[in-house]
Amino acid sequence: MSGLSHLDDTGRARMVDVSNKEATVRTATARGQVTCQPATLEQVRAGTTPKGAVIGTAELAGVMAAKRTAELIPLCHPLPLTNIEVRIEIDQSLPGFRIDAEARTKAETGVEMEAITAASVALDMLKPVDRTMVIGGIEVTAKSGGASGDWP
């Protein structure tokens, strides 16, 4: 119909059949950012927020979210994740935080959605500290493995 892989010939949503694809090592990275008030950034840096160790909690939340991606996103294959890494760094120039997430598997399909889910949820965990925070710039930055090859 439209050439989209998750639609059948009649336009109905379907899970893509990957049973004939070879399991290979696949990785994907994603990033995003949160901007906030400078005072909030200092609170997080000093560890004096009401939420405690915000950065560590947010990184853990990102890992946990990546592991649940197939439950959150329709038609997403559940994957045997072999590694998830979420890193949050303070960026004074925003002011705010930059989030990088990497997902890895050995499977028949890629882990782009797991990486982007990890970054998205980690970003959201920082939001309760400052209601003026803005979450944005969430994107897949790279992928490797599979028939379509590496990107970029």
Side-chain angles (χ1 to χ4, degrees):
M1 179 170 180
S2 67
L4 297 174
S5 61
H6 287 81
L7 297 178
D8 68 14
D9 293 338
T10 66
R12 292 182 64 171
R14 67 173 178 94
M15 184 178 234
V16 174
D17 183 356
V18 296
S19 58
N20 290 326
K21 293 175 79 176
E22 182 180 346
T24 61
V25 173
R26 298 161 188 260
T27 62
T29 57
R31 70 174 167 215
Q33 66 185 37
V34 173
T35 57
C36 65
Q37 299 295 319
T40 304
L41 194 60
E42 291 312 311
Q43 245 189 319
V44 171
R45 187 188 315 269
T48 59
T49 67
K51 297 273 185 179
V54 175
I55 291 176
T57 301
E59 290 173 341
L60 181 58
V63 170
M64 292 172 67
K67 293 167 56 175
R68 311 273 315 255
T69 300
E71 295 173 38
L72 301 170
I73 299 175
L75 308 176
C76 192
H77 292 87
L79 297 177
L81 298 176
T82 58
N83 191 47
I84 302 289
E85 188 172 335
V86 179
R87 295 168 306 282
I88 299 175
E89 300 291 332
I90 292 174
D91 185 337
Q92 197 70 42
S93 68
L94 289 172
F97 308 89
R98 296 198 183 273
I99 287 80
D100 291 292
E102 179 177 300
R104 181 178 292 270
T105 189
K106 184 172 183 182
E108 296 81 6
T109 191
V111 288
E112 294 89 340
M113 295 311 299
E114 286 73 11
I116 209 162
T117 299
S120 299
V121 170
L123 288 166
D124 190 53
M125 287 297 294
L126 296 167
K127 185 98 167 92
V129 178
D130 178 348
R131 292 183 183 186
T132 67
M133 285 183 163
V134 176
I135 296 171
I138 303 168
E139 62 182 326
V140 173
T141 55
K143 69 153 262 347
S144 66
S148 63
D150 298 352
W151 175 85

